[in-house]
Amino acid sequence: MASKSPCDPWRESAQLTVSTVELLLLCAMAFLSSVWTSVIGVGGGPLLISVMPGIVPAAAIIPVHGLVSLVGNLSRISFSVRDVVRSIFWPFLAGALIGALVGTQIVIQFPADLLPLSIGIFILVTTWLPTPTFQAITARGTVLKYWFLGAVQTFLSLFVGAVGPLASPFLIRDNLSRDEFVVTNASFAATFHTLKALVFAFAGFSVTAFAVEIGCMIVAVILGSYVGMKLRGTVSEALFKRLLKILLTILSLRMIFSYSLAV
């Protein structure tokens, strides 16, 4: 996190924990990540969280990212709520509640200094090797597999934050339409981000110190959801995924490399 500078008076007046330039970067990435997720259905969460280490304090990365992502996913749902596949959502919710309860007992003791490394590794794995890892699980019945997904995804979200890509192998196998895929995945993310917010509130995290940053990023993700909804179906999904993989790989390696230098 950058130190305060007399050349940044707005930071002082707005009581920011980051510089004005860093805030603009966070908002730009929040907007772009929201557009990406609204068009493709996945990828925006890792994209946003990958730029936060070094700007947002390590212990605040997961809860800040979670609150911003929660609003972004709720906005995607509100624009197209009819596309949520409810037969899939309900078992996911049941599993998510279990995952949150288990995670509550562990998250308080997790070392925040390891977050950049764990986030970087996790993004690389879910970006390049999602389907083979979960293929056996996705062959199970709808209720069981989405219950399992809800539990695992919510539990992991407490430690790595951007776990949206985990749902892709499940949803792709069920042959959902593009709108159903995007909005149902958003309903999953809204669920585990809500539960995550409750867990971090229970653990004592306060959003007060980051209120301005979170508020600005929330505006950015809502605008991104609206723009992405308009673009969905008009932009080549193959091109988006190709560029996203390249960008996520670069950002993930940056986080891993930065952690190795700090050790």
Side-chain angles (χ1 to χ4, degrees):
M1 185 172 59
S3 59
K4 293 185 178 180
S5 167
C7 296
D8 193 358
W10 195 73
R11 176 177 182 173
E12 294 283 353
S13 60
Q15 296 183 328
L16 294 174
T17 59
V18 301
S19 71
T20 303
V21 173
E22 289 170 334
L23 178 60
L24 291 174
L25 174 61
L26 289 173
C27 289
M29 296 307 293
F31 174 79
L32 291 174
S33 67
S34 187
V35 171
W36 240 310
T37 303
S38 296
V39 173
I40 300 174
V42 293
L47 179 61
L48 176 58
I49 202 170
S50 63
V51 301
M52 295 176 73
I55 298 177
V56 177
I61 290 175
I62 301 297
V64 169
H65 174 269
L67 288 171
V68 173
S69 298
L70 169 60
V71 176
N73 283 289
L74 288 175
S75 66
R76 279 185 279 281
I77 296 170
S78 67
F79 291 139
S80 191
V81 67
R82 67 185 181 280
D83 290 312
V84 176
V85 182
R86 289 167 175 77
S87 61
I88 289 176
F89 172 73
W90 293 120
F92 178 90
L93 175 61
L97 293 171
I98 300 299
L101 287 174
V102 174
T104 302
Q105 310 305 314
I106 302 173
V107 69
I108 301 175
Q109 305 173 7
F110 192 78
D113 291 342
L114 290 177
L115 284 176
L117 177 64
S118 62
I119 291 169
I121 294 174
F122 182 82
I123 292 173
L124 280 176
V125 171
T126 55
T127 296
W128 293 103
L129 299 173
T131 304
T133 305
F134 300 101
Q135 187 134 21
I137 298 171
T138 60
R140 306 299 178 184
T142 298
V143 172
L144 177 60
K145 72 181 182 183
Y146 284 109
W147 183 93
F148 178 85
L149 174 64
V152 171
Q153 202 171 19
T154 302
F155 178 83
L156 290 177
S157 74
L158 299 172
F159 307 99
V160 253
V163 295
L166 285 176
S168 298
F170 295 79
L171 296 173
I172 291 172
R173 188 179 182 87
D174 285 336
N175 297 316
L176 304 185
S177 70
R178 188 168 187 168
D179 287 337
E180 288 174 336
F181 178 92
V182 171
V183 183
T184 301
N185 202 22
S187 73
F188 290 176
T191 298
F192 63 69
H193 283 310
T194 298
L195 294 172
K196 179 167 62 179
L198 294 174
V199 169
F200 275 98
F202 175 77
F205 177 79
S206 174
V207 301
T208 305
F210 305 93
V212 176
E213 292 89 337
I214 292 173
C216 292
M217 293 170 70
I218 282 175
V219 173
V221 295
I222 292 175
L223 290 174
S225 293
Y226 180 78
V227 172
M229 180 192 66
K230 296 296 184 181
L231 292 176
R232 194 185 306 156
T234 66
V235 179
S236 168
E237 183 174 334
L239 176 60
F240 261 87
K241 287 186 176 181
R242 197 175 306 121
L243 293 175
L244 180 62
K245 281 190 173 184
I246 293 172
L247 182 58
L248 288 176
T249 300
I250 293 172
L251 293 172
S252 299
L253 291 175
R254 181 187 68 83
M255 284 189 289
I256 294 171
F257 183 70
S258 296
Y259 176 81
S260 65
L261 289 179
V263 173

